[in-house]
Amino acid sequence: MNSQLLSLAIWVPILGAVPVFLLGSERRCLVRWLALAVAVAGFLVTLPLYTGFDVQQGGMQFIEQLPWIPRFNIQYLLGVDGISMPLILLNSFITILVVLAGWEVIEKKQAQYLGAFLVMSGLMNGIFSALDGILFYVFFEASLIPMYIIIGVWGGPNRVYAAFKFFLYTLLGSLLMLVALIWLFLQSGGSFNILDWHELPIGMAPQILIFIAFLMSFAVKVPMWPVHTWLPDAHVEAPTGGSVILAAIALKLGAYGFLRFSLPIVPDASHYLAPMMITLSLIAVIYIGFVALVQTDMKKLVAYSSISHMGFVTLGFFIFNQIGIEGALVQMISHGFVSGAMFLCIGVMYDRMHSREIADYGGVANRMPKFAAFFLLFAMANSGLPATSGFVGEFMVILGAIKFNFWVGFAAATTLIVGAAYTLWMYKRVVFGDVANHHVAELTDINGRETLILTLLAACVLAMGLYPFPFTEVMHASVDNLLKHVAVSKL
Amino acid sequence: MLNNFVMPDLYPAAPEIFLLCMSFLVLFVDLIFGATHRGLAALLTVVTLLGCAAITIVTADGHTALTFSNMFVDDLLADFLKLVTYLAVIVVLVYSRQYLADRGLDRGEFYLLVLYATLGMMVMISAANFVTIYLGLELLSLSLYALVAIDRNASRATEAAMKYFVLGAMASGLLLYGMSMIYGATGSLEIGGVAQAMHHGQSDKTILVFGLVFLVAGVAFKLGLVPFHMWIPDVYHGAPTAVTLLIGSAPKLAAFAMTLRLLVYGLFGLADDWQKMLLLMAVLSIGLGNLAAIAQTNIKRMLAYSTISHMGFMILGLMSGVVGGVVDPFTAVNAYSSALYYTVAYVLMSLGAFGMVLLLSRAGYEAENLDDFRGLNQRSPWFAAVMLVIMFSMAGIPFFVGFFAKFAVLLAAIKAGYTVVAVVAVMFSLVGAFYYLRVVKLMYFDAPVDSAPITAPMDMRILLSINGVAVAAFGLFPDALMSLCTTTLLRSL
């Protein structure tokens, strides 16, 4: 079946951004509603991907195939499986929230702000659905441009440094990936089709080199320790919407890349280097968890907690069992909701107080009781409380890790303590206690728009925590397929 | 003597002859109406170029025709390159009209010199003989020396012209010396004859390689490859921006043609030797060009260093055609077409970038410092977006044409086994991304220091917008231009 759903998911937001740009920032009201309409339309066109998805099938679905650059056999080849489909939905959903979150707060060049997020959303759907190496790369790189602009124009005081660091760090990795992609093209006798590469036999030495090239690219995106340092800077300086998209979606690109490229294309190198990957993941989980503990800036704290949570994702991938990988995928989706919600909560406070320092707050619950309730739910989800989405993924990964090796699982499980410590300690200092100063005393509770955003996220977090089956159901066959593939040596 | 004279077939050279005749017309028109109707010479120049384009299209039959006793060749490659050259020169004229008028430089000489420079490029593109190459090159260079100094009151321009002339003359000397060596070894000045003599292996390799070194040095000077790049920043910086725009665009096509005809058509037998020299120069150019560009505060100088690195990339593609002395037609066409594609893409981007500098300049003010781009997004969101597209394209970020140009070159290089070189090249383009990003940063992140409205005429605005859109469109749909380059080369080799 040749459907156009994926093309719609990519191009509706991108083309919808054009009138948003053209309207300019003078007609603020119209621009906002138009951007919201585009974002909602962008989400609605992705819904049939879920309803029409065949859960029994592990291969690619909704395939679209057109020649793009016949000169090098590059195709406009799109398709999704159970791994990428949920990410597309997540991305389109979060985009609506980001548009809502920028409703009143952004005063400078609002049309460009909203337009940039719409373009970004389309490009990321492109990344998740591209099955051609160059098409993937093109979307992957192009998504840097709107993010660079978003951080640099609407970010905090140190935004220029953060924007450059973000761009150059990410570019470093992806350029090496480009060389690897071209090498694979030549090796496979002239194909950029990722699925062809999955079948391509490759010797051990080139496998390791390709793995490293991909690692450079994806590890920076995830980000894994020790190439994570761009993330706290970018998060702290980015506007709320930028932080949400970065944490909820952009970090998933790297993790997704491991599943789509590294594991199936170079399985032997993946197995061979798995101990290194597991070690790096555990360092991220434990060490970065402790780093988060000492942060005084709320956004930085959540940024480090993101790195720590993403460490769980990469850990889940490289223990090579079903429950580990599925847990990692659930963790990816859950982290999308939870980290997005955490940044939005901080955004809510920042919009009122213009400070992210924990020390400037205290007793927020007295002035903003509704907000405090939402914030508590998300803080609990962030620390992995059962019945929230945060628990499901972490629990599954820990189970998988214990199956793999008891001590790896044990080390990973410490995060349940550290994660709870840094999140709840921050929550306690910010929300509980007496009203700390007159700024806090003047706070007003969340308005209808903010309530709507947080309610939507809270519903997702709870739904996923209480009944994760609809999420795991779609992944099952694809993960099965992937694991079978990874188990076969290519040597 | 007269009985032996055979009238050469003028048909293949029709565009050149037309241009030459028209240049006399421009000269006369300027003499008579120059004082009263200032725009007439410019208009006539554009008409001339459009006429050349029409003649080139009509006479293009896809066959290779040699004329003037095998000194002049008209093949598909020549037609293609000439068409792009006319287009580039027309764009140059439109972009620079207001700039020249503001500075009182829009005299007949300017247009005449531009026409002769174009003629020089056309002759270089169609050259089938060492002498023809040299003739075309000198015609181009002498016109450019004069153009650089056309604002005779500007001491910086005069200095640049002097430097350009002295170094250029030396490079021409090197080229000529190399040609004479090769003539000595092969007994032929014809490119085809040289190739044949070498193929039969009756020529002395030592003398050939000796000549080749000088030849490559001359070519590298014209392309601006490290270590023969010294003139580029000074000339780009010193020349009036309108002239910089010309030097930075169309002549690259002619230089590409010269390189291809000399090294690939003529001295293919020495491919192993020139490959090594080009490889070294390519890597040095990519490295030094990108590193030095970071330190610049003047955008013309910055773009000059970026030119050096772009030409390095182009040469990287060109030299990947031969693998270990073995010729595989697929690899060869791939490599040459990637270089051709890169050159065309570069000309397109370079026109846009210098066009932006001209756009921001106005009477009595040269917007040539990076700071002049500050806050452009607030002054004109549209042209900020155009510059953003061009900068990201030059940095090699998709979806823009610059990415696919780099991609094609990298593919050719990796195919030829230069994977390590490719990795080095991409690492330097990471360095390069920094200074392109800085321009975007100035335009978008910073507040404007100069809030004067942009006063460029409408024709320039429209053309510059088309230029920016083309950079994006050729990136979204890169196949047409890529295939065109490949087909052209396939049918001209």
Side-chain angles (χ1 to χ4, degrees), chain B residues 198-280:
Chain B
M198 253 189 275
H199 188 68
H200 294 133
Q202 74 245 85
S203 35
D204 186 341
K205 178 113 195 267
T206 320
I207 303 177
L208 275 176
V209 174
F210 193 70
L212 177 73
V213 172
F214 286 97
L215 209 66
V216 168
V219 168
F221 177 86
K222 296 299 165 190
L223 285 167
L225 293 173
V226 175
F228 304 99
H229 66 288
M230 305 296 190
W231 61 278
I232 294 230
D234 289 328
V235 171
Y236 274 43
H237 183 194
T241 312
V243 177
T244 312
L245 173 68
L246 178 69
I247 298 178
S249 56
K252 307 293 174 204
L253 296 161
F256 168 80
M258 176 172 85
T259 317
L260 192 73
R261 293 214 194 271
L262 276 178
L263 297 183
V264 176
Y265 287 40
L267 300 171
F268 198 73
L270 296 175
D272 246 9
D273 301 277
W274 55 254
Q275 204 174 20
K276 287 177 199 124
M277 299 183 216
L278 292 187
L279 175 65
L280 190 66

Side-chain angles (χ1 to χ4, degrees), chain B residues 3 12 20 95 124 477:
Chain B
N3 297 340
L20 193 62
Y95 284 177
M124 276 168 83
F477 306 101

Side-chain angles (χ1 to χ4, degrees), chain A residues 313-357:
Chain A
V313 174
T314 46
L315 175 66
F317 290 166
F318 284 91
I319 52 181
F320 300 107
N321 55 37
Q322 179 104 20
I323 194 158
I325 293 187
E326 278 182 28
L329 286 169
V330 172
Q331 171 82 345
M332 273 162 77
I333 307 285
S334 151
H335 178 259
F337 291 131
V338 175
S339 67
M342 290 297 280
F343 280 116
L344 282 165
C345 285
I346 296 169
V348 163
M349 289 188 283
Y350 181 79
D351 293 341
R352 289 167 172 73
M353 298 265 291
H354 296 285
S355 165
R356 296 179 305 255
E357 288 295 315

Side-chain angles (χ1 to χ4, degrees), chain A residues 168-389:
Chain A
L168 294 176
Y169 241 90
T170 329
L171 189 63
L172 164 73
S174 33
L175 284 171
L176 289 175
M177 178 169 75
L178 179 63
V179 175
L181 294 179
I182 293 175
W183 193 89
L184 283 166
F185 166 76
L186 295 171
Q187 202 63 24
S188 65
S191 169
F192 273 114
N193 187 329
I194 297 173
L195 300 179
D196 288 351
W197 291 348
H198 287 187
E199 313 299 330
L200 179 72
I202 308 170
M204 194 60 185
Q207 276 205 27
I208 288 180
L209 287 176
I210 292 177
F211 185 89
I212 290 170
F214 284 144
L215 178 67
M216 288 296 283
S217 174
F218 300 138
V220 167
K221 271 273 175 183
V222 167
M224 296 178 73
W225 185 86
V227 285
H228 65 282
T229 61
W230 64 272
L231 186 79
D233 286 313
H235 266 313
V236 169
E237 300 304 331
T240 305
S243 298
V244 172
I245 287 289
L246 262 180
I249 316 296
L251 303 192
K252 310 300 178 295
L253 300 176
Y256 170 76
F258 279 121
L259 289 188
R260 185 65 78 229
F261 287 87
S262 305
L263 294 186
I265 294 176
V266 286
D268 303 292
S270 304
H271 280 289
Y272 179 71
L273 294 171
M276 177 185 84
M277 299 300 290
I278 291 172
T279 313
L280 291 179
S281 305
L282 285 177
I283 292 176
V285 169
I286 300 165
Y287 165 71
I288 300 292
F290 280 105
V291 172
L293 202 55
V294 297
Q295 298 305 315
T296 57
D297 179 310
M298 285 190 280
K299 260 190 163 177
K300 253 197 174 139
L301 189 147
V302 181
Y304 280 111
S305 108
S306 281
I307 301 170
S308 163
H309 283 122
M310 289 308 288
F312 253 94
V313 174
T314 46
L315 175 66
F317 290 166
F318 284 91
I319 52 181
F320 300 107
N321 55 37
Q322 179 104 20
I323 194 158
I325 293 187
E326 278 182 28
L329 286 169
V330 172
Q331 171 82 345
M332 273 162 77
I333 307 285
S334 151
H335 178 259
F337 291 131
V338 175
S339 67
M342 290 297 280
F343 280 116
L344 282 165
C345 285
I346 296 169
V348 163
M349 289 188 283
Y350 181 79
D351 293 341
R352 289 167 172 73
M353 298 265 291
H354 296 285
S355 165
R356 296 179 305 255
E357 288 295 315
I358 296 174
D360 290 344
Y361 291 87
V364 171
N366 298 314
R367 310 305 311 172
M368 305 174 74
K370 271 196 281 177
F371 169 75
F374 278 116
F375 196 15
L376 180 65
L377 172 70
F378 298 131
M380 288 299 185
N382 200 39
S383 43
L385 184 82
T388 63
S389 63

Side-chain angles (χ1 to χ4, degrees), chain B residues 130-166:
Chain B
F130 285 164
V131 176
T132 328
I133 288 189
Y134 185 72
L135 276 179
L137 183 63
E138 282 308 282
L139 184 55
L140 169 67
S141 303
L142 286 170
S143 310
L144 289 181
Y145 303 147
L147 275 171
V148 170
I150 197 156
D151 187 5
R152 59 189 153 209
N153 297 325
S155 59
R156 207 176 63 188
T158 320
E159 185 195 321
M162 201 62 203
K163 191 164 186 178
Y164 191 16
F165 175 71
V166 172

Side-chain angles (χ1 to χ4, degrees), chain B residues 150-365:
Chain B
I150 197 156
D151 187 5
R152 59 189 153 209
N153 297 325
S155 59
R156 207 176 63 188
T158 320
E159 185 195 321
M162 201 62 203
K163 191 164 186 178
Y164 191 16
F165 175 71
V166 172
L167 288 175
M170 199 179 79
S172 297
L174 290 179
L175 192 71
L176 215 49
Y177 189 60
M179 285 175 176
S180 71
M181 282 287 168
I182 288 168
Y183 175 65
T186 61
S188 174
L189 279 172
E190 268 172 43
I191 287 174
V194 168
Q196 233 158 24
M198 253 189 275
H199 188 68
H200 294 133
Q202 74 245 85
S203 35
D204 186 341
K205 178 113 195 267
T206 320
I207 303 177
L208 275 176
V209 174
F210 193 70
L212 177 73
V213 172
F214 286 97
L215 209 66
V216 168
V219 168
F221 177 86
K222 296 299 165 190
L223 285 167
L225 293 173
V226 175
F228 304 99
H229 66 288
M230 305 296 190
W231 61 278
I232 294 230
D234 289 328
V235 171
Y236 274 43
H237 183 194
T241 312
V243 177
T244 312
L245 173 68
L246 178 69
I247 298 178
S249 56
K252 307 293 174 204
L253 296 161
F256 168 80
M258 176 172 85
T259 317
L260 192 73
R261 293 214 194 271
L262 276 178
L263 297 183
V264 176
Y265 287 40
L267 300 171
F268 198 73
L270 296 175
D272 246 9
D273 301 277
W274 55 254
Q275 204 174 20
K276 287 177 199 124
M277 299 183 216
L278 292 187
L279 175 65
L280 190 66
M281 291 197 292
V283 173
L284 285 177
S285 303
I286 296 172
L288 188 112
N290 278 322
L291 287 174
I294 290 177
Q296 308 306 320
T297 56
N298 179 297
I299 190 155
K300 280 158 81 180
R301 276 192 103 81
M302 187 197 98
L303 288 172
Y305 280 108
S306 106
T307 303
I308 296 172
S309 78
H310 282 295
M311 287 300 114
F313 254 102
M314 189 275 276
I315 284 297
L316 186 62
L318 190 76
M319 62 111 232
S320 307
V322 198
V323 188
V326 185
V327 188
D328 159 30
F330 177 74
T331 315
V333 169
N334 223 357
Y336 306 143
S337 74
S338 78
L340 176 60
Y341 181 60
Y342 201 99
T343 315
V344 175
Y346 173 72
V347 167
L348 190 67
M349 297 185 290
S350 170
L351 283 171
F354 286 112
M356 283 300 299
V357 180
L358 286 173
L359 180 87
L360 296 184
S361 300
R362 53 183 180 272
Y365 185 75

